[in-house]
Amino acid sequence: MTDSLTIALAQLNPIVGDIAGNAERVRKARAEAAQEGAELIVFPELFLSGYQPEDLVLKPFFHAKLEEAIEALAAETADGGPAVLLPTPRRTADGVFNAALLLDGGEVAAERYKADLPNYGVFDEKRVFKPGPMPGPINFRGVRIGVPICEDVWTPDVVECLEESGAELLLVPNGSPYEAEKEDQRLQLVLNRVAESGLPMVYLNQVGGQDELVYDGASFGVNGDCSLAFRMPAFEEALTLTRWTRGGDGWVCEGGAQAKPLDRHASMYHAMVLGLRDYVRKNGFPGVVLGLSGGVDSALSAAVAVDALGPDAVHCVMMPSPYTSQHSLDDAAGAAEMLGCLLDEVSIEPAMQAFDQMLAPIFQGAPADITEENIQSRSRGLLLMAISNKQGKMLLTTGNKSEMSVGYATLYGDMCGGYSVLKDIYKTDVFAICRLRNEGKAAVSGEGAALLGPDGPVMPDRIITKAPSAELKPDQKDEDTLPPYDKLDDILFCLIEREMSVEEITARGHEAETVQKVWRQLDLSEYKRRQAPPGVKVTPRAFGRDRRYPITNAFRRIL
């Protein structure tokens, strides 16, 4: 039995499916922890496979490779260095489990399985994993350590079982995706479990982007008296050493560094930066290309791209039409200059004329309408896809959540692309984030991951202050066909995040006719969203796995 314990916490960024690479990350972190005198090093949920592995865990060959890595890593712990608490998928004769393995003394010394499998929102673990039995603590150097895994602490049962079976300390590996203001929710959750059990708890979260999800790290520890022992930074990798001593009231963690949490819009910005950076780098793209229109959405998308990848990896293209204003041309050029990235200009007027000529025999003099507007958007999409194909850079889509909600986007036009950083950002948040980033890098950086863009503003102020317009016809404004964005976003929030009725939304001061129109647009546009590229999740209910509505949906007729 020991009265002191030194535990290293590896808040790291794995790559899903990169078993060999993730194993090397374990080795590197373990070697660093050994130099600091750690006795145990802990990794986030399913670290060896990367999280979320989804249907990869249905492949027997995938498990064979996992087992090879587990055996090799376990054998290496015979060197007398730190033991490893390694979360990984684990296939046994009883099924496939979301597991945490204790590698110590050259072998798998213990293993525990996740009991409470989430099956809501972005989680679908019951589909691929079998729930484990209620766990007991692991005996490590005479210390009874409970290892609930992520969802196991979101309800009281697993922690209560561990406390009743003699656990003294709880180490919780997590793969908890980012949502705005979720840090407070996690802390309150852990405080509830600590208050109920009287046991100190370490909440170790993954960091990094994986498709639509961003894991923000922000790991922390809470002592048995509910005091915050330490807090790790958000949106960056970190290896933190924690020192524990046993006293009359149980185990206590010596006070460590406490990173300052980011505010709402700063954290959203870092989520977009990290999500894009990892999507591009983990998938091997040399950079991104995007249309820069002189509007606020493309300007913010370009700023995120430069902060994520650096200016040399971002290629902007201005594609004017006869309806493009001079201020749009000037603002696009100003934004590119401030960001330090390449800006090319390619007019779509020849394409518009060519399509008019090609379609004239079929249209037979029919008056111009939205068809011609969509041709402009699709001409731009065609140009950008051609550049993407030729250069190998990923096309970045620039539409926001407000527009995608009501279908204010063109299939095979401005929806073309491989990724969208604004997909889950409402227009009012777009403006707020632009204003914040334009205050300078220091306004959003906090203690989060490094930003690679300019220290100062990233776009001309006029981009933020002028009325939004798609500029697909003369004197066009978004509010010609949409409610003002502050009203639209509130209605959309009520419909999407809250699932409120028309009556409940009108009680907030909105006109019933406007609410009904927005609801109808939201439901009718589901077919477009099914064809949209993935994008960073920042709200509790992002389009995609969070919100699954049928395309064929007669319920809207109730309106």
Side-chain angles (χ1 to χ4, degrees), residues 255-270:
Q258 297 199 11
K260 182 181 178 181
L262 298 166
D263 67 23
R264 181 172 182 269
H265 287 120
S267 70
M268 292 168 73
Y269 190 78
H270 278 284

Side-chain angles (χ1 to χ4, degrees), residues 129-150:
F129 291 116
K130 183 176 179 180
M134 294 296 278
I138 292 172
N139 191 315
F140 176 72
R141 310 287 195 268
V143 183
R144 295 186 298 277
I145 298 176
V147 188
I149 300 173
C150 200

Side-chain angles (χ1 to χ4, degrees), residues 469-488:
S469 171
E471 294 191 327
L472 298 174
K473 60 183 180 180
D475 302 319
Q476 185 180 35
K477 298 289 185 293
D478 287 5
E479 291 186 8
D480 295 341
T481 52
L482 295 174
Y485 278 112
D486 57 343
K487 295 181 179 180
L488 175 63

